[in-house]
Amino acid sequence: MSDHKRRIVYIEDEPDSAALIERILTAFGYDIIVAYTGHDGIKAAIEYQPELVLVDLDLPDISGFEVAMHLREVGDLQRIPIIAITSQDSDEYRGMARVAEISSYITKPVSVELLTRKIEQYIGTEDLLVDINVDADKEFYARETVQHLINKIRDLESSNEQLRANNRELVEQLVNNLRKAEATNRELLRLDHVKDDFIQRIAHEVRTPLTVVMGYFNLLFNDPDIQALCQNQREINNYMQFMQDGLERMRILVEEIVMISRLGTGKVEVAITPIPPTDLLEAAIRPFSAALEQRQIELNLYYDNLPTYIHGDADLLRLALINVIGNAIKYTPDEGEVSISLTQVRDNLLRIMIKDTGIGIDPDEQQRIFETFYSAENISLHSTSKTNFQGGGLGLGLTIAKAVIELHSGHIYVESEGCDNERMPGSTFYIELPIDPQTQANRQNLYQSFNQ
Ligand code: ADP
């Protein structure tokens, strides 16, 4: 930098910016004359004949462009370098700068390096009217842009690295959670199997002594001496009847628990055979003949347009029907009516309708009664025998019936106006069975739905 002071008129209305740039340029060895308006700036330039004019384009009285145009009309100042400072950089501004013969311009915030370099470049130059898009500018801007881009890329790389680290952490967390969920699932499946094994073992353990007790009880009950005693003594007869009822209930309970557990684990063997539909129905109502007679419930049977056979597992279908017919009897008061009809409704569909004149079922219970252990009735109402009015039950009968019907690709549902112990609106259960089902696929579905 040369020793002698080089004069610059600096026109800037903003005192802080003016003071700052003045200080910087003074430090760089320039002699700075500051003017705060356009008019003062023109006056100062004429008076002090500087080597360069630095002008802010946005002045309060006249714009920096006008200042430049005035200066170009003053003889001595026609070729003076004028550098404009502006907060706006647009094609329009650049065009106006060219028209006003402004040598170059700098955008705010002003870079000290760029400002001093530009001033150095213009001071002492013969050809003072240098185009504002000089290569040096471009190079400088290009360098700044490249540096800026490099910084940006570095920033991006570091935030990418951060993101990758976060992602890694997230993936690790997910994998850990998945592992935990898998372990919990395995544990639940294990417990489920333990539960099924337990139920089956308990049922087996109870069934064995129960069979022995029932066997001896039947021997005793059928013994002529005991029968004579029962006939003569009403009390003994009643005790024996109670014992028989109790044993029968225990037997049914054990069978239901075993069945529900086996249906749930898909362990039920299905033996499909052709069955005459009337045989199926007769086998299902046979166990109830005594109860029907005793409670004076009228049983009406209707057959219409029947196929010769339906294909299914006779034992399982009989079990399903026993549960639904048993309920119709159980929830119908003495002297009521149960009607059963068998009809072939379509090519491959048999519909069994079981209608009673009992207490009925509330609409919002009609889906849930098919769930395991669901009992819409207050359990305390259940009396001893399954065939008594509102007699005993664990809430398994309809679950078993539904599982068996679905095992045969069939469908079971109920219609009832609602439950009313006074009015006895009754219920109608519909069982629809394909005459020839494809059971294999449905056993799979059933197993899945039980284990969800
Ligand atoms: P439960 O052994 O309790 O009878 P089910 O699974 O056979 O169990 O039936 C579930 C519930 O559905 C019963 O507790 C009863 O409230 C209701 N229900 C079933 N069938 C009838 C019916 N024909 N009339 C009225 N309610 C019935």
Side-chain angles (χ1 to χ4, degrees), residues 66-81:
E66 288 170 285
V67 171
M69 284 193 281
H70 274 289
L71 294 180
R72 293 294 175 227
E73 282 161 15
V74 177
D76 294 340
L77 299 174
Q78 270 173 1
R79 298 183 66 78
I80 190 171

Side-chain angles (χ1 to χ4, degrees), residues 1 7 18 45 53 130 132 145 157-158 161 173 211 232 234 256 291 316 339 354 361 371 382 385 418 438-439 447:
M1 194 175 294
R7 190 167 291 161
V53 171
V130 183
I132 53 172
T145 311
E157 274 174 356
S158 85
E161 187 43 51
Q173 267 177 20
T211 315
N232 294 334
R234 267 184 68 133
E256 280 185 347
L316 288 176
S339 308
I354 298 134
I361 304 167
E371 290 167 12
H382 287 195
S385 168
Q438 292 170 343
T439 49
Y447 181 68

Side-chain angles (χ1 to χ4, degrees), residues 25 61 99 110 115 240 311 375 388 451:
L25 293 181
D61 50 352
V99 171
V110 174
L115 178 68
M240 295 298 269
H311 296 262
S375 199
N388 278 6
N451 287 289

Side-chain angles (χ1 to χ4, degrees), residues 253-378:
L253 196 66
V254 171
E255 294 311 324
E256 280 185 347
I257 290 176
V258 170
M259 181 56 73
I260 207 86
S261 154
R262 299 183 81 196
L263 283 166
T265 48
K267 284 183 190 155
V268 177
E269 287 300 318
V270 183
I272 303 283
T273 54
I275 321 157
T278 46
D279 285 7
L280 178 66
L281 185 62
E282 274 159 25
I285 55 181
R286 204 168 298 131
F288 300 110
S289 47
L292 287 167
E293 200 182 307
Q294 193 191 351
R295 296 184 48 216
Q296 296 180 29
I297 292 177
E298 191 180 321
L299 178 68
N300 305 307
L301 302 179
Y302 303 96
Y303 303 121
D304 187 21
N305 183 31
L306 283 186
T308 321
Y309 297 109
I310 74 156
H311 296 262
D313 184 303
D315 289 339
L316 288 176
L317 286 176
R318 185 170 46 87
L319 181 67
L321 282 177
I322 283 178
N323 276 307
V324 181
I325 297 169
N327 280 344
I329 296 168
K330 183 164 75 174
Y331 294 103
T332 296
D334 293 359
E335 295 169 29
E337 219 175 285
V338 172
S339 308
I340 305 175
S341 74
L342 294 188
T343 324
Q344 181 171 353
V345 281
R346 261 184 272 137
D347 253 11
N348 191 28
L349 200 71
L350 177 76
R351 180 183 287 151
I352 307 170
M353 190 186 82
I354 298 134
K355 184 175 161 59
D356 63 54
T357 56
I359 59 174
I361 304 167
D362 276 335
D364 52 353
E365 308 278 3
Q366 287 172 15
Q367 289 288 324
R368 292 158 66 197
I369 56 172
F370 295 100
E371 290 167 12
T372 314
F373 297 120
Y374 187 79
S375 199
E377 285 299 297
N378 183 345

Side-chain angles (χ1 to χ4, degrees), residues 81-258:
I82 303 173
I83 297 177
I85 301 175
T86 175
S87 50
Q88 305 200 32
D89 184 17
S90 65
D91 285 347
E92 194 190 342
Y93 259 58
R94 282 176 182 264
M96 283 166 68
R98 267 194 216 100
V99 171
E101 295 182 53
I102 287 174
S103 316
S104 183
Y105 79 82
I106 299 171
T107 48
K108 287 181 182 172
V110 174
S111 145
V112 175
E113 191 197 343
L114 180 64
L115 178 68
T116 50
R117 211 169 49 76
K118 272 191 186 295
I119 292 172
E120 277 300 308
Q121 187 188 339
Y122 285 108
I123 282 186
T125 306
E126 281 301 301
D127 182 9
L128 298 173
L129 283 175
V130 183
D131 189 83
I132 53 172
N133 288 321
V134 289
D135 286 349
D137 271 5
K138 283 188 192 158
E139 198 187 305
F140 180 79
Y141 279 122
R143 251 193 294 128
E144 272 211 338
T145 311
V146 168
Q147 190 54 47
H148 182 70
L149 283 176
I150 288 171
N151 291 344
K152 265 260 170 309
I153 289 168
R154 280 195 192 127
D155 283 355
L156 280 174
E157 274 174 356
S158 85
S159 52
N160 263 353
E161 187 43 51
Q162 187 60 43
L163 271 175
R164 270 198 292 274
N166 287 351
N167 278 351
R168 267 199 303 275
E169 218 172 278
L170 220 64
V171 168
E172 269 166 28
Q173 267 177 20
L174 279 175
V175 169
N176 283 344
N177 287 349
L178 207 67
R179 283 204 188 112
K180 275 188 207 151
E182 277 172 358
T184 312
N185 199 27
R186 271 197 302 276
E187 181 59 8
L188 285 174
L189 280 175
R190 193 186 67 78
L191 287 175
D192 206 39
H193 279 110
V194 168
K195 180 202 77 186
D196 286 326
D197 281 357
F198 175 75
I199 288 175
Q200 299 212 24
R201 251 182 299 128
I202 288 278
H204 180 73
E205 290 302 316
V206 174
R207 187 156 41 181
T208 314
L210 189 63
T211 315
V212 175
V213 173
M214 283 184 82
Y216 282 115
F217 176 83
N218 287 336
L219 272 180
L220 264 182
F221 203 27
N222 295 327
D223 184 290
D225 290 344
I226 299 284
Q227 283 197 341
L229 201 63
C230 288
Q231 268 163 19
N232 294 334
Q233 293 198 23
R234 267 184 68 133
E235 268 182 4
I236 291 193
N237 189 43
N238 282 347
Y239 297 157
M240 295 298 269
Q241 287 292 344
F242 287 147
M243 278 171 74
Q244 194 175 37
D245 281 353
L247 284 171
E248 180 59 11
R249 281 191 67 192
M250 278 168 75
R251 189 190 65 76
I252 292 171
L253 196 66
V254 171
E255 294 311 324
E256 280 185 347
I257 290 176
V258 170

